Coordinates of all heavy atoms in Angstrom, one line a residue:
M1 N 0.8 -1.2 0.0 CA 0.0 0.0 0.0 C 0.9 1.2 0.0 O 1.9 1.3 0.6 CB -0.9 0.0 1.2 CG -1.7 1.3 1.1 SD -2.3 2.1 2.4 CE -3.1 1.3 3.5
K2 N 0.4 2.2 -0.7 CA 1.2 3.5 -0.8 C 0.4 4.6 -0.3 O -0.7 4.9 -0.7 CB 1.5 3.7 -2.3 CG 2.5 4.9 -2.5 CD 2.6 5.3 -3.9 CE 3.4 4.3 -4.7 NZ 3.7 4.8 -6.1
I3 N 1.0 5.3 0.7 CA 0.4 6.5 1.3 C 1.4 7.7 1.0 O 2.6 7.5 1.3 CB 0.2 6.4 2.8 CG1 -0.8 5.2 3.1 CG2 -0.4 7.7 3.4 CD1 -0.9 4.9 4.6
I4 N 0.8 8.7 0.5 CA 1.7 9.9 0.2 C 1.1 11.1 1.0 O -0.1 11.3 0.9 CB 1.7 10.2 -1.3 CG1 2.5 9.1 -2.0 CG2 2.4 11.6 -1.5 CD1 2.5 9.3 -3.5
S5 N 1.9 11.9 1.7 CA 1.5 13.1 2.4 C 2.3 14.2 1.7 O 3.5 14.1 1.5 CB 1.9 13.0 3.9 OG 1.5 14.2 4.5
Y6 N 1.6 15.3 1.4 CA 2.2 16.3 0.6 C 1.6 17.7 1.0 O 0.4 17.9 1.1 CB 1.8 16.1 -0.9 CG 2.6 16.8 -2.0 CD1 2.8 16.1 -3.2 CD2 3.1 18.0 -1.8 CE1 3.5 16.7 -4.2 CE2 3.8 18.7 -2.8 CZ 4.0 18.0 -4.0 OH 4.7 18.6 -5.0
N7 N 2.5 18.7 1.3 CA 2.1 20.0 1.5 C 2.1 20.8 0.2 O 3.1 21.1 -0.4 CB 3.1 20.7 2.5 CG 2.7 22.1 2.8 OD1 2.2 22.9 2.0 ND2 2.9 22.5 4.1
V8 N 0.9 21.0 -0.3 CA 0.7 21.6 -1.7 C 0.8 23.1 -1.7 O 0.9 23.6 -2.8 CB -0.5 21.0 -2.4 CG1 -0.5 19.6 -2.6 CG2 -1.8 21.4 -1.6
N9 N 0.7 23.7 -0.6 CA 0.7 25.2 -0.6 C -0.2 25.8 -1.6 O 0.1 26.7 -2.4 CB 2.1 25.7 -0.8 CG 2.3 27.2 -0.4 OD1 1.5 27.7 0.4 ND2 3.2 27.9 -1.0
G10 N -1.5 25.3 -1.6 CA -2.5 25.8 -2.5 C -2.8 24.8 -3.6 O -2.1 24.7 -4.6
I11 N -3.9 24.1 -3.4 CA -4.2 22.9 -4.3 C -4.6 23.4 -5.7 O -4.2 22.8 -6.7 CB -5.3 22.0 -3.7 CG1 -5.4 20.7 -4.5 CG2 -6.6 22.7 -3.6 CD1 -6.1 19.6 -3.9
R12 N -5.3 24.5 -5.8 CA -5.7 25.0 -7.1 C -4.5 25.4 -8.0 O -4.4 25.1 -9.2 CB -6.7 26.1 -7.1 CG -8.1 25.6 -6.5 CD -9.1 26.6 -6.4 NE -8.7 27.6 -5.4 CZ -9.2 28.8 -5.2 NH1 -10.2 29.2 -6.0 NH2 -8.8 29.6 -4.3
S13 N -3.5 26.0 -7.3 CA -2.2 26.3 -8.0 C -1.5 25.1 -8.4 O -1.0 25.0 -9.5 CB -1.4 27.2 -7.1 OG -0.1 27.5 -7.7
A14 N -1.4 24.1 -7.5 CA -0.8 22.8 -7.8 C -1.4 22.1 -9.0 O -0.7 21.6 -9.9 CB -0.8 21.9 -6.6
I15 N -2.7 22.1 -9.0 CA -3.5 21.5 -10.1 C -3.1 22.2 -11.4 O -2.9 21.5 -12.5 CB -5.0 21.5 -9.8 CG1 -5.3 20.4 -8.7 CG2 -5.8 21.1 -11.1 CD1 -6.7 20.4 -8.2
S16 N -3.0 23.5 -11.4 CA -2.7 24.3 -12.6 C -1.3 24.0 -13.1 O -1.0 24.3 -14.3 CB -2.9 25.8 -12.4 OG -1.9 26.3 -11.6
K17 N -0.5 23.4 -12.2 CA 0.9 23.1 -12.6 C 1.2 21.6 -12.9 O 2.3 21.2 -12.8 CB 1.9 23.6 -11.5 CG 1.8 25.1 -11.3 CD 2.6 25.6 -10.1 CE 2.5 27.1 -10.0 NZ 3.1 27.6 -8.7
G18 N 0.1 20.9 -13.1 CA 0.2 19.5 -13.4 C 0.2 18.5 -12.3 O 0.5 17.3 -12.4
F19 N -0.4 18.9 -11.1 CA -0.4 18.0 -10.0 C -1.2 16.7 -10.2 O -0.8 15.7 -9.8 CB -1.1 18.8 -8.8 CG -1.2 18.0 -7.5 CD1 0.0 17.7 -6.8 CD2 -2.4 17.6 -7.0 CE1 -0.1 16.9 -5.6 CE2 -2.5 16.9 -5.9 CZ -1.3 16.5 -5.2
L20 N -2.3 16.9 -11.0 CA -3.1 15.7 -11.2 C -2.4 14.6 -12.1 O -2.6 13.4 -11.9 CB -4.5 16.1 -11.9 CG -5.4 16.8 -11.0 CD1 -6.6 17.3 -11.8 CD2 -5.9 16.0 -9.8
D21 N -1.5 15.1 -13.0 CA -0.7 14.1 -13.8 C 0.2 13.4 -12.8 O 0.5 12.2 -13.0 CB 0.1 14.9 -14.9 CG -0.8 15.5 -15.9 OD1 -1.9 14.9 -16.2 OD2 -0.4 16.5 -16.5
W22 N 0.8 14.2 -11.9 CA 1.7 13.5 -10.9 C 1.0 12.5 -10.0 O 1.5 11.4 -9.8 CB 2.4 14.6 -10.0 CG 3.2 14.0 -8.9 CD1 4.5 13.6 -9.1 CD2 2.8 13.7 -7.6 NE1 4.9 13.1 -7.9 CE2 3.9 13.2 -7.0 CE3 1.6 13.9 -6.9 CZ2 3.9 12.7 -5.6 CZ3 1.6 13.5 -5.6 CH2 2.7 12.9 -5.0
V23 N -0.2 12.9 -9.6 CA -1.0 11.9 -8.8 C -1.3 10.7 -9.6 O -1.2 9.6 -9.1 CB -2.4 12.6 -8.3 CG1 -3.3 11.6 -7.7 CG2 -2.1 13.7 -7.4
Q24 N -1.7 10.8 -10.8 CA -2.0 9.6 -11.7 C -0.7 8.8 -11.8 O -0.8 7.5 -11.7 CB -2.5 10.1 -13.0 CG -2.9 8.9 -13.9 CD -3.6 9.4 -15.1 OE1 -3.4 10.5 -15.6 NE2 -4.4 8.5 -15.7
A25 N 0.4 9.4 -12.0 CA 1.7 8.6 -12.2 C 2.1 8.0 -10.8 O 2.5 6.8 -10.8 CB 2.8 9.5 -12.7
A26 N 2.0 8.7 -9.7 CA 2.4 8.2 -8.4 C 1.4 7.1 -7.9 O 1.8 6.1 -7.3 CB 2.4 9.3 -7.4
N27 N 0.1 7.2 -8.3 CA -0.9 6.3 -8.0 C -1.0 5.8 -6.5 O -1.0 4.6 -6.3 CB -0.8 5.1 -8.9 CG -2.0 4.2 -8.9 OD1 -3.1 4.7 -8.7 ND2 -1.8 2.9 -9.1
P28 N -1.1 6.7 -5.6 CA -1.1 6.3 -4.2 C -2.5 5.8 -3.8 O -3.5 6.1 -4.5 CB -0.9 7.6 -3.4 CG -1.4 8.7 -4.3 CD -1.1 8.2 -5.7
D29 N -2.5 4.9 -2.9 CA -3.8 4.4 -2.3 C -4.5 5.4 -1.5 O -5.7 5.6 -1.5 CB -3.6 3.1 -1.5 CG -3.0 2.0 -2.4 OD1 -3.7 1.6 -3.3 OD2 -1.9 1.6 -2.1
V30 N -3.7 6.2 -0.8 CA -4.1 7.3 0.1 C -3.2 8.5 -0.1 O -2.0 8.4 -0.1 CB -4.1 6.9 1.6 CG1 -4.6 8.0 2.5 CG2 -4.9 5.6 1.9
L31 N -3.9 9.6 -0.4 CA -3.1 10.9 -0.7 C -3.6 11.9 0.4 O -4.8 12.3 0.4 CB -3.4 11.4 -2.1 CG -2.8 12.7 -2.5 CD1 -1.3 12.7 -2.4 CD2 -3.3 13.1 -3.8
C32 N -2.7 12.3 1.3 CA -3.0 13.3 2.3 C -2.4 14.6 2.0 O -1.2 14.7 1.8 CB -2.5 12.8 3.7 SG -3.1 11.2 4.1
L33 N -3.2 15.7 1.8 CA -2.7 17.0 1.5 C -2.9 18.0 2.6 O -3.9 18.0 3.2 CB -3.4 17.5 0.2 CG -3.4 16.6 -1.0 CD1 -4.1 17.2 -2.2 CD2 -1.9 16.3 -1.4
Q34 N -1.8 18.8 2.8 CA -1.9 19.9 3.7 C -1.8 21.2 3.0 O -1.3 21.3 1.9 CB -0.8 19.8 4.8 CG -0.7 18.5 5.6 CD 0.0 17.4 4.8 OE1 1.0 17.6 4.2 NE2 -0.6 16.2 4.8
E35 N -2.3 22.2 3.7 CA -2.2 23.6 3.1 C -2.9 23.7 1.8 O -2.4 24.3 0.8 CB -0.8 24.1 3.0 CG 0.0 24.1 4.3 CD -0.6 25.1 5.4 OE1 -1.2 26.2 5.0 OE2 -0.6 24.8 6.6
I36 N -4.1 23.1 1.7 CA -4.9 23.2 0.4 C -5.3 24.6 0.1 O -5.5 24.9 -1.1 CB -6.0 22.2 0.4 CG1 -7.1 22.5 1.4 CG2 -5.5 20.8 0.4 CD1 -8.4 21.7 1.3
K37 N -5.6 25.4 1.1 CA -5.9 26.8 1.0 C -7.1 27.0 0.0 O -7.1 27.8 -0.9 CB -4.7 27.6 0.5 CG -3.6 27.6 1.5 CD -2.4 28.4 1.1 CE -1.3 28.3 2.1 NZ -0.2 29.1 1.8
C38 N -8.1 26.2 0.2 CA -9.2 26.2 -0.7 C -10.5 25.7 0.0 O -10.5 24.7 0.7 CB -8.9 25.2 -1.9 SG -10.2 25.0 -3.1
C39 N -11.6 26.4 -0.2 CA -12.9 25.9 0.4 C -13.4 24.8 -0.5 O -13.0 24.6 -1.6 CB -13.9 27.1 0.5 SG -14.2 27.9 -1.0
E40 N -14.3 24.0 0.1 CA -14.8 22.8 -0.6 C -15.4 23.0 -1.9 O -15.3 22.3 -2.8 CB -15.7 22.0 0.4 CG -16.0 20.6 -0.1 CD -16.5 19.7 1.0 OE1 -16.6 20.1 2.1 OE2 -16.8 18.5 0.6
D41 N -16.2 24.1 -2.0 CA -16.9 24.3 -3.2 C -16.0 24.8 -4.4 O -16.4 24.9 -5.5 CB -18.1 25.3 -3.0 CG -17.7 26.7 -2.6 OD1 -16.6 26.8 -2.0 OD2 -18.5 27.6 -2.8
K42 N -14.8 25.2 -4.1 CA -13.8 25.7 -5.1 C -12.9 24.6 -5.5 O -12.1 24.7 -6.5 CB -13.0 26.8 -4.6 CG -13.8 28.1 -4.2 CD -14.3 28.8 -5.4 CE -15.0 30.0 -4.9 NZ -15.7 30.7 -6.0
L43 N -12.9 23.4 -4.9 CA -12.0 22.3 -5.2 C -12.7 21.4 -6.2 O -13.9 21.0 -6.1 CB -11.7 21.5 -3.9 CG -10.8 20.3 -4.2 CD1 -9.5 20.6 -4.7 CD2 -10.7 19.5 -2.9
D44 N -12.0 21.1 -7.3 CA -12.5 20.2 -8.3 C -12.4 18.7 -7.9 O -11.5 18.0 -8.3 CB -11.8 20.5 -9.6 CG -12.3 19.7 -10.8 OD1 -13.4 19.0 -10.7 OD2 -11.6 19.7 -11.9
K45 N -13.3 18.3 -7.1 CA -13.3 16.9 -6.6 C -13.5 15.9 -7.7 O -13.0 14.8 -7.7 CB -14.3 16.7 -5.5 CG -14.0 17.4 -4.2 CD -14.8 16.9 -3.0 CE -16.2 17.4 -3.1 NZ -17.0 17.1 -1.9
A46 N -14.2 16.3 -8.8 CA -14.5 15.4 -9.9 C -13.2 15.0 -10.6 O -13.1 13.9 -11.1 CB -15.4 16.1 -10.9
A47 N -12.2 15.9 -10.6 CA -10.9 15.5 -11.2 C -10.3 14.4 -10.5 O -9.7 13.5 -11.1 CB -10.0 16.7 -11.3
F48 N -10.4 14.4 -9.1 CA -9.8 13.3 -8.3 C -10.7 12.1 -8.4 O -10.2 10.9 -8.5 CB -9.7 13.7 -6.9 CG -8.5 14.7 -6.7 CD1 -8.8 16.1 -6.7 CD2 -7.3 14.3 -6.5 CE1 -7.8 17.0 -6.6 CE2 -6.2 15.2 -6.3 CZ -6.5 16.6 -6.3
E49 N -12.0 12.2 -8.5 CA -12.9 11.1 -8.6 C -12.7 10.4 -10.0 O -12.7 9.2 -10.0 CB -14.3 11.6 -8.5 CG -14.7 12.0 -7.0 CD -16.0 12.8 -6.9 OE1 -16.6 13.1 -7.9 OE2 -16.3 13.0 -5.7
A50 N -12.3 11.1 -11.0 CA -12.0 10.5 -12.3 C -10.8 9.7 -12.2 O -10.6 8.7 -13.0 CB -11.8 11.6 -13.4
L51 N -9.9 9.9 -11.3 CA -8.7 9.1 -11.1 C -9.0 7.9 -10.1 O -8.1 7.2 -9.8 CB -7.6 10.0 -10.5 CG -7.0 11.1 -11.5 CD1 -6.0 11.9 -10.7 CD2 -6.5 10.5 -12.7
G52 N -10.2 7.8 -9.6 CA -10.6 6.7 -8.8 C -10.5 7.0 -7.3 O -10.5 6.0 -6.5
Y53 N -10.6 8.2 -6.9 CA -10.5 8.6 -5.5 C -11.8 9.1 -4.9 O -12.6 9.8 -5.6 CB -9.4 9.7 -5.3 CG -8.0 9.2 -5.6 CD1 -7.4 9.4 -6.8 CD2 -7.3 8.5 -4.6 CE1 -6.1 8.9 -7.1 CE2 -6.0 8.0 -4.8 CZ -5.4 8.3 -6.1 OH -4.2 7.8 -6.3
H54 N -12.0 8.8 -3.6 CA -13.0 9.4 -2.8 C -12.3 10.6 -2.1 O -11.2 10.5 -1.7 CB -13.5 8.5 -1.7 CG -14.1 7.2 -2.3 ND1 -15.4 7.1 -2.8 CD2 -13.5 6.0 -2.5 CE1 -15.6 5.9 -3.2 NE2 -14.5 5.2 -3.1
A55 N -13.0 11.8 -2.1 CA -12.5 13.0 -1.6 C -13.1 13.4 -0.3 O -14.3 13.4 -0.1 CB -12.7 14.1 -2.6
Y56 N -12.2 13.8 0.7 CA -12.6 14.3 2.0 C -11.8 15.6 2.3 O -10.6 15.6 2.1 CB -12.3 13.2 3.1 CG -13.1 12.0 2.7 CD1 -12.5 11.0 1.9 CD2 -14.4 11.8 3.1 CE1 -13.2 9.9 1.6 CE2 -15.1 10.7 2.8 CZ -14.5 9.7 2.0 OH -15.2 8.6 1.6
I57 N -12.5 16.6 2.6 CA -11.9 18.0 2.7 C -12.2 18.6 4.1 O -13.4 18.4 4.6 CB -12.5 18.9 1.7 CG1 -12.6 18.3 0.3 CG2 -11.8 20.2 1.6 CD1 -11.3 17.9 -0.3
H58 N -11.3 19.2 4.7 CA -11.5 20.0 5.9 C -10.8 21.4 5.7 O -9.6 21.5 6.0 CB -10.9 19.3 7.2 CG -11.2 20.1 8.4 ND1 -10.6 19.8 9.6 CD2 -12.1 21.0 8.7 CE1 -11.0 20.6 10.5 NE2 -12.0 21.3 10.0
P59 N -11.5 22.3 5.1 CA -10.9 23.6 4.8 C -10.9 24.5 6.1 O -11.7 24.2 7.1 CB -11.9 24.2 3.8 CG -13.2 23.6 4.1 CD -12.9 22.2 4.6
A60 N -10.1 25.5 6.1 CA -10.1 26.4 7.2 C -11.3 27.4 7.1 O -11.9 27.5 6.0 CB -8.9 27.3 7.2
V61 N -11.8 28.0 8.1 CA -12.9 28.9 8.1 C -12.4 30.2 7.3 O -13.1 30.7 6.5 CB -13.3 29.3 9.5 CG1 -14.3 30.5 9.5 CG2 -13.9 28.1 10.2
K62 N -11.2 30.6 7.6 CA -10.6 31.7 6.9 C -10.2 31.4 5.5 O -9.5 30.4 5.2 CB -9.3 32.2 7.7 CG -8.6 33.4 7.1 CD -7.4 33.7 8.0 CE -6.6 34.8 7.4 NZ -5.4 35.1 8.3
K63 N -10.7 32.1 4.5 CA -10.5 31.8 3.1 C -9.0 31.9 2.8 O -8.3 32.8 3.2 CB -11.3 32.7 2.2 CG -12.7 32.4 2.2 CD -13.5 33.2 1.2 CE -15.0 32.9 1.4 NZ -15.6 32.6 0.2
G64 N -8.5 31.0 2.0 CA -7.1 31.0 1.5 C -6.1 30.6 2.6 O -4.9 30.9 2.5
Y65 N -6.5 29.9 3.7 CA -5.7 29.6 4.8 C -5.7 28.1 5.1 O -6.8 27.5 5.1 CB -6.1 30.4 6.0 CG -5.3 30.2 7.2 CD1 -4.1 30.8 7.4 CD2 -5.8 29.5 8.3 CE1 -3.3 30.7 8.5 CE2 -5.0 29.3 9.5 CZ -3.8 29.9 9.5 OH -3.0 29.8 10.7
S66 N -4.6 27.5 5.3 CA -4.4 26.1 5.7 C -5.4 25.2 5.1 O -5.7 25.3 3.9 CB -4.5 26.0 7.3 OG -5.7 26.4 7.8
G67 N -6.0 24.2 5.8 CA -6.9 23.2 5.2 C -6.2 22.0 4.8 O -5.0 22.0 4.4
V68 N -6.9 20.8 5.0 CA -6.4 19.5 4.6 C -7.4 18.8 3.7 O -8.6 19.1 3.8 CB -6.0 18.7 5.8 CG1 -4.9 19.3 6.6 CG2 -7.2 18.5 6.7
A69 N -6.9 17.8 3.0 CA -7.7 17.0 2.1 C -7.1 15.6 2.1 O -5.9 15.5 2.1 CB -7.9 17.5 0.7
T70 N -8.0 14.6 2.0 CA -7.5 13.2 1.9 C -8.3 12.6 0.8 O -9.5 12.7 0.7 CB -7.7 12.4 3.2 OG1 -6.9 13.1 4.2 CG2 -7.1 11.0 3.0
F71 N -7.5 11.9 -0.1 CA -8.2 11.2 -1.2 C -7.8 9.7 -1.1 O -6.6 9.4 -0.9 CB -7.6 11.8 -2.6 CG -7.9 13.3 -2.7 CD1 -7.0 14.2 -2.3 CD2 -9.1 13.7 -3.2 CE1 -7.3 15.6 -2.4 CE2 -9.4 15.0 -3.3 CZ -8.5 16.0 -2.9
T72 N -8.8 8.9 -1.2 CA -8.6 7.4 -1.0 C -9.2 6.6 -2.1 O -10.3 7.0 -2.6 CB -9.2 7.0 0.4 OG1 -10.6 7.1 0.3 CG2 -8.6 7.8 1.5
K73 N -8.5 5.5 -2.4 CA -9.1 4.6 -3.4 C -10.2 3.8 -2.8 O -11.2 3.5 -3.5 CB -8.0 3.7 -4.0 CG -7.0 4.5 -4.8 CD -6.7 3.9 -6.1 CE -5.8 4.9 -6.9 NZ -5.3 4.2 -8.0
E74 N -10.1 3.4 -1.6 CA -11.1 2.7 -0.9 C -11.9 3.7 0.0 O -11.4 4.5 0.7 CB -10.5 1.6 0.0 CG -11.5 0.8 0.8 CD -10.9 -0.3 1.6 OE1 -9.7 -0.7 1.3 OE2 -11.6 -0.8 2.4
K75 N -13.2 3.5 -0.1 CA -14.1 4.4 0.7 C -14.0 4.0 2.2 O -14.1 2.8 2.5 CB -15.5 4.3 0.2 CG -16.4 5.3 0.8 CD -17.8 5.3 0.2 CE -18.6 6.4 0.8 NZ -19.9 6.5 0.1
P76 N -13.7 5.0 3.1 CA -13.7 4.6 4.5 C -15.0 4.3 5.1 O -16.1 4.7 4.5 CB -13.1 5.9 5.1 CG -13.5 7.0 4.2 CD -13.5 6.4 2.8
V77 N -15.0 3.6 6.2 CA -16.2 3.3 6.9 C -16.8 4.6 7.5 O -18.0 4.9 7.5 CB -16.0 2.3 8.0 CG1 -17.2 2.1 8.9 CG2 -15.5 1.0 7.4
T78 N -15.9 5.4 8.1 CA -16.3 6.7 8.7 C -15.3 7.8 8.3 O -14.1 7.4 8.1 CB -16.4 6.7 10.2 OG1 -15.2 6.3 10.8 CG2 -17.5 5.8 10.7
A79 N -15.7 9.0 8.2 CA -14.8 10.1 8.0 C -15.2 11.2 9.0 O -16.4 11.6 9.1 CB -15.0 10.7 6.6
T80 N -14.2 11.6 9.8 CA -14.5 12.6 10.9 C -13.7 13.8 10.6 O -12.5 13.8 10.4 CB -14.0 12.0 12.3 OG1 -14.7 10.8 12.5 CG2 -14.4 13.0 13.4
V81 N -14.4 14.9 10.5 CA -13.8 16.2 10.2 C -13.5 16.9 11.5 O -14.4 17.1 12.3 CB -14.7 17.1 9.3 CG1 -14.1 18.4 9.1 CG2 -14.9 16.4 8.0
G82 N -12.2 17.2 11.8 CA -11.9 18.0 13.0 C -11.6 17.1 14.1 O -11.8 15.8 14.1
C83 N -11.1 17.7 15.2 CA -10.8 17.0 16.4 C -11.8 17.2 17.6 O -11.6 16.7 18.7 CB -9.4 17.3 16.9 SG -9.1 19.0 17.3
G84 N -12.8 18.1 17.3 CA -13.8 18.4 18.3 C -13.4 19.6 19.2 O -14.2 19.9 20.1
N85 N -12.4 20.3 18.8 CA -12.0 21.5 19.6 C -12.1 22.7 18.6 O -11.3 22.8 17.7 CB -10.6 21.4 20.1 CG -10.2 22.6 21.0 OD1 -10.6 23.7 20.7 ND2 -9.4 22.3 22.0
S86 N -13.1 23.5 18.8 CA -13.3 24.6 17.8 C -12.1 25.6 17.7 O -11.9 26.2 16.6 CB -14.6 25.4 18.2 OG -14.4 26.0 19.5
L87 N -11.3 25.7 18.7 CA -10.1 26.5 18.6 C -9.2 26.0 17.5 O -8.6 26.8 16.8 CB -9.4 26.5 20.0 CG -8.1 27.3 20.1 CD1 -8.4 28.8 20.0 CD2 -7.4 27.0 21.4
Y88 N -9.1 24.7 17.3 CA -8.3 24.2 16.3 C -9.0 23.8 15.0 O -8.5 23.9 13.9 CB -7.5 22.9 16.8 CG -6.7 23.2 18.0 CD1 -7.1 22.7 19.2 CD2 -5.6 24.0 17.9 CE1 -6.4 23.0 20.4 CE2 -4.8 24.3 19.0 CZ -5.2 23.8 20.3 OH -4.5 24.0 21.4
D89 N -10.3 23.4 15.1 CA -11.0 23.0 14.0 C -11.3 24.1 13.0 O -11.4 23.8 11.8 CB -12.3 22.3 14.4 CG -12.1 20.9 15.0 OD1 -11.0 20.4 14.8 OD2 -13.1 20.4 15.6
C90 N -11.3 25.3 13.4 CA -11.5 26.4 12.5 C -10.4 26.6 11.6 O -10.5 27.2 10.5 CB -11.8 27.7 13.3 SG -10.4 28.4 14.2
E91 N -9.2 26.0 11.9 CA -8.1 26.1 11.0 C -8.0 25.0 10.0 O -7.1 25.0 9.1 CB -6.8 26.1 11.8 CG -6.7 27.4 12.7 CD -5.3 27.5 13.3 OE1 -4.5 26.6 13.2 OE2 -5.1 28.5 14.0
G92 N -8.9 24.0 10.0 CA -8.9 23.0 9.0 C -7.7 22.1 9.0 O -7.0 22.0 7.9
R93 N -7.4 21.5 10.1 CA -6.1 20.7 10.2 C -6.2 19.3 10.4 O -5.2 18.5 10.3 CB -5.2 21.4 11.2 CG -4.9 22.8 10.9 CD -3.7 23.3 11.7 NE -3.4 24.7 11.5 CZ -2.6 25.1 10.6 NH1 -2.0 24.3 9.7 NH2 -2.4 26.4 10.5
V94 N -7.5 18.8 10.7 CA -7.6 17.3 11.1 C -8.7 16.7 10.3 O -9.8 17.1 10.2 CB -7.9 17.2 12.6 CG1 -8.1 15.7 13.0 CG2 -6.8 17.8 13.4
L95 N -8.3 15.5 9.7 CA -9.3 14.6 9.1 C -9.0 13.2 9.6 O -7.8 12.8 9.6 CB -9.2 14.6 7.5 CG -9.9 15.6 6.7 CD1 -9.5 15.5 5.3 CD2 -11.4 15.5 6.9
R96 N -10.0 12.5 10.0 CA -9.7 11.1 10.4 C -10.6 10.2 9.6 O -11.8 10.4 9.5 CB -10.1 10.9 11.9 CG -10.0 9.5 12.4 CD -10.4 9.3 13.8 NE -10.7 7.9 14.0 CZ -10.9 7.4 15.2 NH1 -11.0 8.2 16.2 NH2 -11.1 6.1 15.3
L97 N -10.0 9.2 8.9 CA -10.7 8.2 8.1 C -10.5 6.9 8.7 O -9.3 6.5 9.0 CB -10.2 8.3 6.7 CG -10.3 9.6 6.0 CD1 -9.7 9.5 4.6 CD2 -11.7 10.2 6.0
D98 N -11.6 6.1 8.9 CA -11.5 4.8 9.4 C -11.9 3.8 8.3 O -12.9 4.0 7.7 CB -12.4 4.6 10.6 CG -12.0 5.5 11.8 OD1 -10.8 5.5 12.1 OD2 -12.9 6.1 12.4
F99 N -11.1 2.8 8.1 CA -11.3 1.8 7.1 C -11.7 0.5 7.7 O -11.4 0.1 8.8 CB -10.0 1.6 6.2 CG -9.7 2.9 5.5 CD1 -8.9 3.9 6.0 CD2 -10.2 3.1 4.2 CE1 -8.6 5.0 5.4 CE2 -9.9 4.3 3.5 CZ -9.1 5.2 4.1
P100 N -12.4 -0.4 6.8 CA -12.8 -1.7 7.3 C -11.6 -2.5 7.7 O -10.5 -2.3 7.2 CB -13.5 -2.3 6.1 CG -13.6 -1.3 5.1 CD -12.7 -0.1 5.5
E101 N -11.8 -3.5 8.6 CA -10.7 -4.3 9.1 C -10.0 -5.0 8.0 O -8.8 -5.1 8.0 CB -11.3 -5.3 10.2 CG -10.2 -6.1 10.8 CD -10.7 -7.0 11.9 OE1 -11.8 -6.8 12.4 OE2 -10.0 -8.0 12.2
Y102 N -10.8 -5.6 7.1 CA -10.2 -6.3 6.0 C -10.2 -5.5 4.7 O -11.1 -5.6 3.9 CB -10.9 -7.6 5.8 CG -10.8 -8.5 7.0 CD1 -11.9 -8.6 7.9 CD2 -9.6 -9.2 7.3 CE1 -11.8 -9.4 9.0 CE2 -9.5 -10.0 8.4 CZ -10.6 -10.1 9.3 OH -10.5 -10.8 10.4
S103 N -9.3 -4.6 4.6 CA -9.2 -3.7 3.5 C -7.9 -3.6 2.9 O -7.0 -4.4 3.4 CB -9.6 -2.2 4.0 OG -8.6 -1.7 4.8
I104 N -7.7 -2.8 1.9 CA -6.3 -2.7 1.3 C -5.3 -2.2 2.4 O -4.1 -2.4 2.2 CB -6.3 -1.7 0.1 CG1 -6.8 -0.3 0.6 CG2 -7.2 -2.2 -1.0 CD1 -6.5 0.8 -0.5
L105 N -5.8 -1.6 3.4 CA -4.9 -1.1 4.4 C -4.3 -2.2 5.3 O -3.4 -2.0 6.0 CB -5.6 -0.1 5.3 CG -6.1 1.2 4.6 CD1 -6.8 2.1 5.5 CD2 -5.0 1.9 3.9
N106 N -4.9 -3.4 5.2 CA -4.4 -4.5 6.0 C -3.8 -5.6 5.2 O -3.5 -6.6 5.7 CB -5.6 -5.1 6.8 CG -6.1 -4.2 7.9 OD1 -5.3 -3.5 8.5 ND2 -7.4 -4.1 8.1
V107 N -3.6 -5.3 3.9 CA -3.0 -6.3 3.1 C -1.5 -6.2 3.1 O -0.9 -5.2 3.3 CB -3.5 -6.1 1.6 CG1 -2.7 -7.0 0.7 CG2 -5.0 -6.3 1.5

């Protein structure tokens, strides 16, 4: 299994510079992105879905600031946005995805 974590410093800018081609070539099972700096309605999730990924986003409340996203080939059992502390959750820094016991993550 391949997990990649990447600080993209703005996902829309990364996409405009060929990021999706890199994702397709790298072909990770799980792709964790930091500093997406994008609200959910501005992110082209369909482009990632076309590559076979399920998309999960936790943007910051402040536009153009921080935010994380996780893209997975296998759909998780649960997806939890944030850690439950509004002091931190407003910054969009935590996503928790739980997968089935017998999944690609256990192979």
